DNA sequence: TAGGAATCACACATATGGTA
DNA sequence: TACCATATGTGTGATTCCTA
């Protein structure tokens, strides 16, 4: 039986003082509101104080029957996850960020003869883009200032033009060594095209080598007491480090995955659709039946016998190949089972393990 | 030390007024 | 009249301070 709104009593001790997203659900299980917080316990407490601050918050709190939380590791992850969950559930109390591609910040590569990078938000006036057609999107990024620092980093590191109309003579940016001077043919079209390719490769997957190079430059400027330049480089490093930090709630993946963390008493399943984390569910692990199969293997076979995503990412299975074969027989198509050792999939499992520990401790 | 309350900072939406 | 810049109000989360 689902709890009623009136029966919900907020207990701060049930919520961790960690970063994450929260989903406030009504009596019928519908998602009323999705939010994020650096400290979930404190943030949620603010909703359920006796004297709620405004009518809207009071109205929301009165309708809440359940609060589900999803723990993440970083603020960037919580922002992206919140954005994805709002788009997925369209909660009645979330007035912002509901548009398909609104809310967060992008960098775009123009499809001009001499392409350039520009900041972008859908549905907004993008003055720096002008009328230029778009060839490629990068992002979304968690904040405008972060996106802007990253954009500046890429444009200056690869000396790309920023001008909407090529000037007749090289501008100040060229003389400050921030632009290669393509307008005056100081670099050839081929060299400029190569710089654009390197910049887009960097934005798609930032390389640690560039970080080290900038760090060395920063130290050199600091040694020469050029603290203003060193400070600018420090900001670039921070932007780059944020980009390099592996976030797993939104990845570039073109198929569906379930991430399965098998614990000793239950299983936590993360639903990932086209790279976007959509939710978590804790399932009971039936250890009593099933013959020779271990509980985890039995769970996978029973849950995915009828319908399965293209890939299952599992923390442990005694014989993944045999389970794969059994699922192929049951579903009539191949279901890839991955037990990752490194990379984003391991990070996804770590996220599941963190949420498993929290949910089984309640 | 944890939790509650107040306050602050920031982003966004909307209203308003000036200018071409 | 359309466009743009600025002001104002609101929502949200973070921070700080106070108290038990």
């Amino acid at each position: 039986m689902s709890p009623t709104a009136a029966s919900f009593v907020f207990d701060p001790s049930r919520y961790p003082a960690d970063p994450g997203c929260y989903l406030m659900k009504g009596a019928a299980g519908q998602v009323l509101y999705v939010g994020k917080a650096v400290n979930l316990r404190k943030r949620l407490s603010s909703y359920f104080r006796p004297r709620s601050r405004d009518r809207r918050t009071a109205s929301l709190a009165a309708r809440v029957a359940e609060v589900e939380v999803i723990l993440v590791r970083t603020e960037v992850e919580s922002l992206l996850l919140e954005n994805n969950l709002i788009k997925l559930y369209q909660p009645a109390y979330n007035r912002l960020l509901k548009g398909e591609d609104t809310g967060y910040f992008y960098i775009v590569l123009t499809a001009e003869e001499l392409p350039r990078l520009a900041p972008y938000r859908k549905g907004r006036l993008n003055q720096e883009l002008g009328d230029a057609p778009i060839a490629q999107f990068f992002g979304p990024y968690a904040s405008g200032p972060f996106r802007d620092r990253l954009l500046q980093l890429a444009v200056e590191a690869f000396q790309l033009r920023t001008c909407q109309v090529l000037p007749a003579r090289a501008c100040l940016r060229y003389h400050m060594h921030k632009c290669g001077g393509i307008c005056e043919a100081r670099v050839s079209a081929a060299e400029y095209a190569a710089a654009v390719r390197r910049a887009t490769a960097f934005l798609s997957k930032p390389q640690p080598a560039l970080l080290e190079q900038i760090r060395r430059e920063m130290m050199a400027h600091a040694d020469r007491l050029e603290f203003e330049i060193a400070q600018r480089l420090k900001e670039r490093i921070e932007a780059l480090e944020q980009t390099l930090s592996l976030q797993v709630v939104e990845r570039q993946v073109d198929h569906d995955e379930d991430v399965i963390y098998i614990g000793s008493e239950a299983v936590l399943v993360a639903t990932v659709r086209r790279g976007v984390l959509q939710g978590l569910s804790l399932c009971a692990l039936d250890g009593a039946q099933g013959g020779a199969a271990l509980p985890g293997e039995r769970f996978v076979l029973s849950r995915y016998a009828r319908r399965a995503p293209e890939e299952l990412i599992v923390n442990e299975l005694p014989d993944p190949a045999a389970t794969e074969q059994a699922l192929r027989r049951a579903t009539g198509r191949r279901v890839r089972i991955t037990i990752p050792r490194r990379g984003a999939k391991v990070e996804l499992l770590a996220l599941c393990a963190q949420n498993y520990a929290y949910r089984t401790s309640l």
Side-chain angles (χ1 to χ4, degrees), chain A residues 293-318:
Chain A
L294 291 169
E297 186 184 8
R298 221 163 39 239
F299 173 85
V300 171
L301 289 172
S302 65
R303 182 182 174 102
Y304 298 104
R306 287 187 174 178
R307 261 181 64 188
E310 284 95 323
E311 184 177 5
L312 302 177
I313 299 164
V314 193
N315 61 327
E316 60 177 31
L317 267 184

Side-chain angles (χ1 to χ4, degrees), chain A residues 113-186:
Chain A
E113 187 179 350
L114 295 169
R116 59 193 166 89
L117 295 169
Y120 183 81
R121 288 190 83 177
K122 268 200 176 171
R124 300 299 165 92
L125 184 64
N126 293 287
Q127 278 182 329
E128 290 181 50
L129 176 64
D131 297 327
I134 295 169
Q136 195 174 349
F137 283 85
F138 303 94
Y141 302 103
S143 74
F146 169 66
R147 184 271 317 272
D148 293 342
R149 288 206 305 276
L150 186 66
L151 175 61
Q152 187 188 10
L153 176 72
V155 165
E156 292 182 8
F158 299 101
Q159 303 210 312
L160 303 184
R161 75 182 183 103
T162 58
C163 44
Q164 288 189 36
V165 179
L166 271 186
R169 297 184 62 188
C171 65
L172 190 60
R173 287 190 71 251
Y174 168 72
H175 296 289
M176 293 172 73
H177 308 290
K178 293 180 175 181
C179 173
I182 184 68
C183 53
E184 279 194 6
R186 303 287 176 136

Side-chain angles (χ1 to χ4, degrees), chain A residues 43-293:
Chain A
R43 181 68 195 124
L44 289 169
S45 296
S46 73
Y47 284 98
F48 298 100
R49 284 178 208 135
R51 277 170 50 213
S52 204
R53 285 181 304 173
D54 58 73
R55 277 185 303 178
R56 193 170 153 269
T57 306
S59 156
L60 170 62
R63 290 184 62 190
V64 170
E66 181 192 356
V67 178
E68 179 187 349
V69 306
I70 298 177
L71 303 179
V72 295
R73 288 94 43 87
T74 66
E75 192 187 354
V76 171
E77 278 189 341
S78 66
L79 274 161
L80 291 173
L81 180 60
E82 180 198 28
N83 187 34
N84 292 334
L85 293 174
I86 289 172
K87 284 171 183 169
L88 178 67
Y89 293 111
Q90 299 276 311
Y93 283 83
N94 287 93
R95 283 164 49 172
L96 302 172
L97 306 175
K98 278 195 187 177
E100 267 300 297
D101 284 303
T102 60
Y104 287 103
F105 303 86
Y106 294 82
I107 292 171
V108 293
L109 178 73
T110 65
E112 295 165 294
E113 187 179 350
L114 295 169
R116 59 193 166 89
L117 295 169
Y120 183 81
R121 288 190 83 177
K122 268 200 176 171
R124 300 299 165 92
L125 184 64
N126 293 287
Q127 278 182 329
E128 290 181 50
L129 176 64
D131 297 327
I134 295 169
Q136 195 174 349
F137 283 85
F138 303 94
Y141 302 103
S143 74
F146 169 66
R147 184 271 317 272
D148 293 342
R149 288 206 305 276
L150 186 66
L151 175 61
Q152 187 188 10
L153 176 72
V155 165
E156 292 182 8
F158 299 101
Q159 303 210 312
L160 303 184
R161 75 182 183 103
T162 58
C163 44
Q164 288 189 36
V165 179
L166 271 186
R169 297 184 62 188
C171 65
L172 190 60
R173 287 190 71 251
Y174 168 72
H175 296 289
M176 293 172 73
H177 308 290
K178 293 180 175 181
C179 173
I182 184 68
C183 53
E184 279 194 6
R186 303 287 176 136
V187 292
S188 69
E191 286 170 326
Y192 187 81
V196 169
R197 280 197 299 275
R198 285 200 297 276
T200 55
F202 162 72
L203 288 173
S204 302
K205 191 177 192 307
Q207 292 94 23
L210 181 66
L211 183 68
E212 280 312 305
Q213 183 193 326
I214 298 170
R215 193 168 275 138
R216 282 196 297 274
E217 281 178 35
M218 182 188 76
M219 298 304 288
H221 284 294
D223 287 346
R224 293 198 294 269
L225 306 182
E226 296 164 349
F227 296 118
E228 202 173 319
I229 301 172
Q231 175 61 29
R232 275 209 306 275
L233 293 174
K234 182 169 175 283
E235 288 170 7
R236 285 195 203 174
I237 289 169
E238 286 168 0
L240 190 53
E241 282 176 336
Q242 279 195 53
T243 311
L244 286 170
S245 72
L246 196 60
Q247 67 80 17
V248 295
V249 303
E250 188 173 315
R251 295 146 54 231
Q252 294 290 320
V253 175
D254 60 2
H255 63 271
D256 293 345
E257 306 159 317
D258 272 11
V259 185
I260 305 165
Y261 181 83
I262 301 169
S264 56
E265 50 193 298
V267 178
L268 190 120
V269 178
T271 309
V272 181
R273 296 294 171 256
R274 306 253 156 204
V276 176
L277 176 63
Q278 294 195 339
L280 305 178
S281 59
L282 188 69
C283 310
L285 196 55
D286 181 9
Q289 301 167 352

